[in-house]
């Protein structure tokens, strides 16, 4: 579904990612892990055209989307949830969902999607008229993901979704991510919580200093090189 080939990207002329190669298949969860500053978030931003691409290519469903405007990527079927529980706090839960569906012209489809979101995230129906800033941290993160799902994506990009959450909220979040994936949506997740990310992923990539250091399945955390990548150990 998604293929990244020899990607070099960064900000203001400063290269952060160096010759990155990555593949994501339909209905697959792909985890991106690595130490702070390794370029994980930049990788997602490169896919969603939120940073500078210096060379290489990004292909989605056999279409070259390198440098395609972000709003067109949404129409292509890619949605992005940035880190930090970024919801519109002064809007209600329902209004947040409606904002997520700005690409829709069909009001009946909008209603069906909201109904689906209420089924997936029961709290969102109960609190649909509450302002988003009144929600708990876990609920705000769930709302951010729900808003992205309103766009009917085939590929969902998640940047540090568990950041700052309680253990209980984190557990619920990862279960919800697995549920979303079971419904056929491919997911690329960047996570500092490497153990949990690898546990739910079909495949994992490890970044180190902007380069792809390792690729593997759920056994990857047992690789002796992981200690060196994260802690500089020998």
């Amino acid at each position: 579904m998604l293929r990244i080939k020899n990607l070099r990207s960064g900000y203001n002329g400063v290269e952060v990612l160096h010759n990155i190669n990555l593949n994501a298949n339909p209905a697959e969860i792909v985890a991106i892990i690595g130490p702070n500053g390794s370029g994980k978030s930049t990788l997602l931003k490169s896919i969603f055209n939120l940073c500078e691409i210096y060379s290489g290519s990004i292909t989605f469903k056999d279409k070259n989307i390198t440098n395609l405007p972000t709003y067109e990527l949404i129409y292509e079927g890619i949605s992005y949830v940035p880190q930090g529980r970024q919801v519109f706090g002064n809007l209600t839960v329902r209004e947040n969902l409606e904002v997520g569906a700005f690409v829709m012209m069909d009001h009946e489809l909008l209603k069906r999607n909201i109904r689906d979101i209420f089924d997936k995230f029961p709290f969102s129906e109960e609190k649909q008229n509450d302002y988003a800033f009144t929600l708990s941290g876990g609920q705000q993160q769930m709302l951010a993901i729900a808003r992205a799902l309103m766009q009917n994506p085939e590929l969902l990009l998640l940047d540090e979704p568990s950041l700052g959450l309680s253990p209980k909220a984190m557990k619920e979040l990862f279960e919800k991510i697995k549920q979303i994936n079971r419904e056929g949506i491919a997911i690329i997740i960047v996570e500092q919580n490497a153990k949990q990310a690898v546990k739910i992923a079909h495949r994992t990539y490890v970044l180190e200093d902007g380069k792809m250091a390792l690729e593997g399945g759920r056994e990857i955390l047992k690789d002796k090189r992981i200690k060196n990548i994260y802690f500089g150990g020998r």
Side-chain angles (χ1 to χ4, degrees), residues 26-218:
E28 182 179 43
I29 298 178
V30 174
I32 312 294
I33 64 173
N36 289 333
S38 59
K40 302 186 301 296
S41 292
T42 300
L43 181 52
L44 292 191
K45 289 178 180 178
S46 298
I47 298 170
F48 212 58
N49 196 21
L50 296 174
C51 64
E52 298 170 350
I53 307 296
Y54 304 128
S55 66
S57 64
I58 304 173
T59 305
F60 181 63
K61 296 192 300 182
D62 297 323
K63 178 177 180 178
N64 191 328
I65 62 168
T66 314
N67 290 317
L68 199 67
T70 294
Y71 71 89
E72 290 191 26
L73 293 172
I74 294 173
Y75 284 106
E76 291 293 332
I78 302 175
S79 291
Y80 170 64
V81 181
Q83 62 176 274
R85 303 196 293 272
Q86 295 190 25
V87 297
F88 297 102
N90 61 340
L91 298 181
T92 66
V93 168
R94 189 183 186 96
E95 288 169 339
N96 268 271
L97 296 175
E98 290 171 346
V99 167
F102 73 94
V103 299
M104 291 182 186
M105 302 299 292
D106 186 332
H107 291 292
E108 289 303 315
L109 180 59
L110 171 62
K111 291 179 182 178
R112 287 200 299 272
N113 280 13
I114 287 180
R115 182 72 260 168
D116 288 344
I117 290 298
F118 285 168
D119 290 341
K120 286 187 181 74
F121 304 86
F123 83 89
S124 65
E125 181 174 21
E126 177 187 343
K127 296 179 177 291
Q128 63 179 297
N129 296 316
D130 294 356
Y131 287 110
F133 76 84
T134 67
L135 302 178
S136 68
Q139 289 172 338
Q140 288 184 11
Q141 185 61 66
M142 292 286 196
L143 177 58
I145 293 173
R147 187 178 61 202
L149 292 176
M150 287 291 294
Q151 299 160 5
N152 293 326
E154 295 178 66
L155 174 63
L156 183 63
L157 309 176
L158 300 177
D159 192 358
E160 300 281 8
S162 74
L163 185 67
L165 299 186
S166 67
K168 180 182 178 182
M170 188 182 303
K171 181 179 179 180
E172 292 174 352
L173 174 74
F174 282 113
E175 286 300 320
K176 190 63 65 176
I177 291 171
K178 290 193 295 183
Q179 176 188 338
I180 293 167
N181 173 249
R182 285 195 295 268
E183 295 175 359
I185 298 175
I187 297 171
I188 300 179
I189 178 173
V190 159
E191 255 298 333
Q192 194 60 34
N193 190 326
K195 184 176 180 180
Q196 288 298 325
V198 172
K199 185 177 179 180
I200 67 169
H202 299 95
R203 287 186 303 113
T204 298
Y205 291 90
V206 184
L207 284 179
E208 180 184 20
D209 297 328
K211 298 178 181 179
M212 202 63 77
L214 291 172
E215 175 188 355
R218 293 187 175 98

